[in-house]
Amino acid sequence: MTSIATPDICDAYPEIAVCDPVFINFGGIEAFFGPVRTVKCFEDNSLVKEAVTEPGEGAVLIVDAGGSTRCAMLGDMLAEQAAGNGWAGVVMYGCVRDIDVLAETDLGIQALGAHPRRSEKRGEGIRDIPVTFAGVTFTPGQWVYADNNGILVAEEKLKL
């Protein structure tokens, strides 16, 4: 994967959308990018589990978990599946768990925080729709760029 630096991208593309600075980097890959795929769910990670079992093809899974800090929506097993299935990363507007293992996983992971409790599994949620959080709307087909400096959203793949 090409090395990226979001400050350099912001300099080259001053109009690019920038997420509010609310995310923490938990993954073994600190800088990642790819086309956007989305899941919207709340305290139920059934559709996250479904998505990471599918071929990621270098995409970034954007999960609008409603900003919940009452449970984790991604843990070590799902992160390892995502990495093994070719996902570039996960941006979780919610929490993750098993963070020591996540830090060793070959996947970019940004989330609001860590929580030890797992989510429910009721099969609720929706996929592949525009989701809005942290001051930005993510639409499938856009591109996301993330590193320790922040998360950016572009309408198309950028020339870096």
Side-chain angles (χ1 to χ4, degrees):
M1 179 173 271
T2 304
S3 178
I4 65 158
T6 58
D8 294 342
I9 295 171
C10 283
D11 291 350
Y13 298 90
E15 301 302 317
I16 196 164
V18 180
C19 287
D20 294 340
V22 295
F23 294 94
I24 301 166
N25 214 336
F26 289 99
I29 296 177
E30 293 186 347
F32 58 97
F33 65 95
V36 168
R37 296 198 199 156
T38 65
V39 170
K40 184 177 179 73
C41 51
F42 185 74
E43 297 181 1
D44 177 343
N45 74 345
S46 301
L47 294 185
V48 175
K49 181 177 182 180
E50 177 183 282
V52 300
T53 63
E54 299 169 358
E57 302 170 331
V60 177
L61 185 62
I62 306 296
V63 182
D64 180 354
S68 175
T69 56
R70 299 188 301 199
C71 67
M73 299 290 287
L74 180 83
D76 58 349
M77 291 188 293
L78 295 185
E80 288 169 0
Q81 276 192 302
N85 286 325
W87 291 86
V90 176
V91 174
M92 177 66 65
Y93 189 56
C95 291
V96 297
R97 68 184 199 165
D98 306 312
I99 63 170
D100 295 328
V101 177
L102 297 185
E104 301 297 321
T105 303
D106 195 24
L107 184 70
I109 303 168
Q110 294 225 10
L112 297 179
H115 198 291
R117 181 174 289 125
R118 69 179 177 186
S119 76
E120 296 290 325
K121 308 264 189 298
R122 297 181 302 270
E124 297 175 356
I126 190 165
R127 291 181 62 182
D128 303 318
I129 63 163
V131 296
T132 302
F133 57 81
V136 173
T137 297
F138 299 86
T139 302
Q142 292 178 319
W143 280 67
V144 67
Y145 297 83
D147 65 10
N148 285 321
N149 294 290
I151 300 173
L152 313 176
V153 183
E155 292 302 315
E156 57 193 25
K157 185 176 183 180
L158 301 177
K159 296 184 187 335
L160 302 175

